[in-house]
Amino acid sequence: MTPLLQVDDLHLTFGGRDRQEQRLLHGVSFTVAAGEAVGIVGESGSGKTLTLRAITALHPPNARIDGDIRFDGLSVPAMSPRELTRLRRDHVGMVFQDPHAAINPVHRIGDYLTETYRKDGRKQRRDATTRALELLHQVRIKDPARILGCFPHELSGGMLQRVMIAAALMRGPRLLLADEPTTALDVTTQAEVVALIADLRRDRGTSLVFITHDIELVGALCDRILVMYRGRIVEQLTPAQLHGGEISHPYTAALLACRPDVTRRRDRLPAIAAGAFEEGWAVQ
Amino acid sequence: MAIVEHNLPRSAGRPWSGVLLTVAGRLAQMALTLLTASFLIFVALQLAPGNPVDIMLGAKAGDPEAVRRLNAQYHFDQPLLVQYGHWLTGLLHGDLGTSFVFRESVSSLIAARVPTSALLVAYGGVLVLVLGFAVGLVASRAGRTVDTGISVLLSVALATPTYVIAIVLITVFSLYLDWFPVFGSGDGLLGRLHHLTLPAVTLALSSSAAMARVTRAAVKDEEGRDHVTTAVARGLDRRTVLGRHVVRNALLPITTIAGIIGAGLIAGTVIVENAFGLDGVGSLLVQAITRKDYAVVQSTSVLIIAAFLLVNAFVDVLYGIIDPRTRTGGTR
């Protein structure tokens, strides 16, 4: 069976021609099966977000892409603008990091949720409103009818992030892409939002690609963990391997060591120096 | 567009009391501004050199009896505050006094000239909105070459003084091409518009350039925002993204500049009406100032300031409509 998403030897390059080339992704390959949850961890600048955006061709327009991305067997780089729009609208939902920045402040929540139905008929639009109410209820927002009439600035970050998750699920996508959806939230809200994503995607059988720099979080949420470093996937793990300590790449070990641990007293958390693992597999 | 009209948190309780209070406060503020401005103008006129009585008397300027009589007639012999009080009570009764140059009541003098100025400002305003916005939008979407070309033209338009624009336009479009009249206000709406075209273009040109620049910058700025990426990622088509997210949000800075431009257009009528020999409020003001026609200067200036204030108030209302975050009586 073909996987739902197949990223094959993906390279992403800025510049070229008269300017200095800068390659930010070096042959990234992975697959996501239907219903599977894959987590990508890595530090800032490791290429996680670029990889995620390339999946729906949202990479910067001045970047060049080599390699192939296949969604349900269809090549994304080969798609026409129209097909891309349809892919983004109907099949892939996205949740971004900072909900207050990612949602247009001038439109009401109700308009935001049902926006992709604006060009449809009256009945579809009415159904969309009903569906928005249902989804707000499912993302555990109290009094959904009132929230539909609110403006984004009237809601808290946690509430708004739930709204964004609801918006991503409006058209029943088969793949959910989440780009550090919990980083802008406080710790308690983070846990709630992660639990919510886990529940919702399990109920629907939606595939998930979840980006974070929190390796333990990914271990709890995902079926498979990809560790990215400097534009490459350096290691693939299952949660069992992660928790059993079967780690082969030193960068993964370093990432784990950077986490604060309540059971151990330390003066300082270790930091990973820039380019510390440049030499590939050599242990420091 | 609004799908649900449920009660909003901000309009809980008595929904209209907040709005009424805001409007009342706003009006009081405007009245106070007008009062202060009118007093300052009154004082400034008295401080300015020259004496209206001497100008009125002309050759008989030395005659003490005539001077005394005129001073009494126009209350010039009374203290400044009393004179101001006279003007103010007259204003409240709809009587703005008499022009001693035109021998006519100031209100009818102004009333006869308001339509020309109002039409000129409106015409210029429409030109700024349509031209400036369109050019700015084109520049923001265009490639490098077109963008640079437009940018150069805009700089030229911005840097050219109004009277130079007037001379160039008159020379080209009236003298050589004979498309538009040089002088006068015309009859009927079409005739008036025909006569007002060159003045309106003169009035609007540099403002349009400013508007185009702001539009271009605002659209480019808004395009780079996260919420626009979200809109694309949600599979909205290009038109919807541009209209509903980019341009819609760019309207905020555009409205700000529109308010400033509106005020500038009103002030610009003074120069443009003179350059094109239009009998509007602006040219009336200039005539009155040169001949020390106190009553006319006073009322005309206050009228122009009132127009300023109205434009500002209008922009504030627009702001509330465009950006829900700026609505007052708001979230708590």
Side-chain angles (χ1 to χ4, degrees):
Chain A
M1 202 183 80
T2 51
L4 181 66
L5 177 73
Q6 185 166 15
V7 176
D8 192 14
D9 197 26
L10 179 70
H11 295 259
L12 186 140
T13 321
F14 280 99
R17 252 192 282 175
D18 46 339
R19 259 189 288 166
Q20 178 80 45
E21 272 203 2
Q22 204 180 3
R23 181 157 288 194
L24 294 182
L25 294 181
H26 308 261
V28 172
S29 302
F30 64 97
T31 59
V32 180
E36 192 186 19
V38 171
I40 305 180
V41 275
E43 63 195 29
S44 309
S46 59
K48 321 181 285 281
T49 299
L50 277 176
T51 305
L52 193 79
R53 297 207 167 186
I55 293 173
T56 52
L58 279 174
H59 54 279
N62 56 339
R64 197 183 74 238
I65 282 221
D66 300 297
D68 201 9
I69 298 161
R70 286 181 176 272
F71 183 86
D72 204 16
L74 297 170
S75 170
V76 176
M79 282 186 187
S80 70
R82 215 201 185 98
E83 289 169 323
L84 269 180
T85 302
R86 211 169 303 141
L87 172 78
R88 292 166 182 158
R89 190 188 61 194
D90 296 338
H91 301 300
V92 184
M94 263 185 116
V95 179
F96 292 94
Q97 183 174 359
D98 179 359
H100 276 293
I103 297 179
N104 191 340
V106 308
H107 298 299
R108 293 181 197 272
I109 300 298
D111 290 335
Y112 166 69
L113 283 168
T114 58
E115 196 173 17
T116 57
Y117 294 87
R118 290 183 81 244
K119 303 243 159 120
D120 298 335
R122 180 178 294 202
K123 187 185 177 299
Q124 279 99 321
R125 291 208 305 270
R126 199 155 351 110
D127 291 349
T129 308
T130 315
R131 183 158 168 71
L133 283 171
E134 259 167 46
L135 273 167
L136 285 184
H137 181 73
Q138 284 172 23
V139 296
R140 292 163 209 161
I141 280 181
K142 278 178 234 139
D143 201 356
R146 187 181 67 87
I147 297 300
L148 282 189
C150 285
F151 286 102
H153 70 275
E154 294 170 320
L155 305 187
S156 69
M159 285 251 274
L160 209 54
Q161 192 57 285
R162 290 157 203 259
V163 168
M164 189 148 46
I165 293 168
L169 295 173
M170 273 297 281
R171 281 180 177 264
R174 297 156 73 190
L175 174 64
L176 194 61
L177 305 178
D179 188 357
E180 303 204 33
T182 58
T183 308
L185 309 176
D186 65 75
V187 182
T188 356
T189 322
Q190 271 183 19
E192 287 167 16
V193 167
V194 169
L196 186 67
I197 292 177
D199 287 358
L200 287 172
R201 68 150 219 97
R202 209 172 299 125
D203 294 349
R204 281 148 221 268
T206 313
S207 303
L208 172 73
V209 178
F210 190 101
I211 283 185
T212 178
H213 44 247
D214 188 339
I215 191 165
E216 303 239 321
L217 180 71
V218 154
L221 179 69
C222 298
D223 305 319
R224 209 141 45 84
I225 303 155
L226 312 177
V227 182
M228 270 193 91
Y229 180 63
R230 299 218 137 200
R232 288 183 176 84
I233 291 177
V234 292
E235 182 156 22
Q236 297 212 24
L237 293 163
T238 62
Q241 288 172 318
L242 175 72
H243 295 127
E246 298 170 46
I247 292 159
S248 43
H249 196 279
Y251 178 67
T252 315
L255 268 185
L256 273 171
C258 290
R259 279 202 40 111
D261 187 341
V262 283
T263 60
R264 263 193 301 165
R265 175 169 290 281
R266 292 196 281 199
D267 287 338
R268 237 167 228 247
L269 283 174
I272 303 176
F277 304 100
E278 198 55 37
E279 295 311 309
W281 297 87
V283 181
Q284 9 163 217
Chain B
M1 252 204 304
I3 290 159
V4 179
E5 309 261 325
H6 292 283
N7 56 325
L8 312 175
R10 66 191 165 80
S11 53
R14 290 152 296 163
W16 284 103
S17 59
V19 177
L20 284 181
L21 214 66
T22 315
V23 171
R26 188 78 213 189
L27 285 176
Q29 203 183 331
M30 280 170 71
L32 198 68
T33 312
L34 268 182
L35 195 71
T36 316
S38 68
F39 182 70
L40 287 178
I41 293 165
F42 202 88
V43 173
L45 276 175
Q46 307 291 327
L47 291 176
N51 183 345
V53 172
D54 289 346
I55 296 176
M56 271 186 270
L57 289 172
K60 289 197 287 176
D63 183 355
E65 174 55 26
V67 169
R68 198 197 55 75
R69 211 183 60 240
L70 277 175
N71 271 338
Q73 185 187 339
Y74 291 101
H75 308 294
F76 289 147
D77 50 355
Q78 288 171 0
L80 194 67
L81 272 177
V82 177
Q83 289 186 43
Y84 178 69
H86 269 295
W87 178 80
L88 206 59
T89 40
L91 175 74
L92 295 176
H93 290 99
D95 173 19
L96 300 176
T98 311
S99 156
F100 42 68
V101 174
F102 298 96
R103 312 258 171 219
E104 204 182 324
S105 92
V106 174
S107 38
S108 62
L109 205 58
I110 290 179
R113 287 160 171 263
V114 162
T116 303
S117 296
L119 201 59
L120 177 62
V121 171
Y123 198 167
V126 169
L127 282 180
V128 170
L129 285 182
V130 175
L131 226 93
F133 182 75
V135 171
L137 196 60
V138 167
S140 73
R141 324 289 316 149
R144 233 218 196 113
T145 328
V146 176
D147 188 18
T148 312
I150 291 178
S151 159
V152 169
L153 288 179
L154 292 183
S155 302
V156 172
L158 262 176
T160 316
T162 309
Y163 54 88
V164 175
I165 297 171
I167 292 169
V168 171
L169 288 181
I170 289 174
T171 314
V172 175
F173 292 101
S174 295
L175 301 184
Y176 284 116
L177 297 171
D178 201 20
W179 288 357
F180 296 100
V182 196
F183 214 76
S185 304
D187 296 311
L189 186 65
L190 276 181
R192 275 176 185 253
L193 285 179
H194 187 222
H195 277 78
L196 284 178
T197 298
L198 284 189
V201 171
T202 308
L203 185 64
L205 200 65
S206 60
S207 304
S208 303
M211 172 62 97
R213 275 195 173 178
V214 169
T215 303
R216 176 189 171 277
V219 168
K220 288 218 153 192
D221 189 41
E222 205 57 46
E223 264 182 331
R225 303 222 180 226
D226 286 354
H227 72 81
V228 176
T229 310
T230 311
V232 177
R234 296 181 72 203
L236 298 174
D237 59 284
R238 276 176 50 145
R239 268 247 203 94
T240 308
V241 172
L242 186 67
R244 230 178 110 73
H245 293 279
V246 177
V247 174
R248 173 66 178 72
N249 289 47
L251 285 182
L252 264 175
I254 291 173
T255 307
T256 309
I257 191 81
I260 298 167
I261 285 175
L265 289 181
I266 292 169
T269 56
V270 176
I271 297 171
V272 171
E273 283 175 6
N274 266 299
F276 287 90
L278 297 172
D279 52 350
V281 177
S283 55
L284 176 66
L285 178 64
V286 174
Q287 288 165 19
I289 288 172
T290 51
R291 295 157 88 169
K292 290 261 151 207
D293 198 345
Y294 281 3
V296 174
V297 175
Q298 176 72 24
S299 297
T300 315
S301 316
V302 171
L303 177 72
I304 291 178
I305 291 166
F308 253 81
L309 292 177
L310 276 180
V311 167
N312 269 324
F314 180 65
V315 165
D316 277 2
V317 171
L318 268 186
Y319 245 92
I321 294 171
I322 291 171
D323 189 350
R325 288 168 299 181
T326 62
R327 279 173 207 172
T328 45
T331 41
R332 57 203 59 209

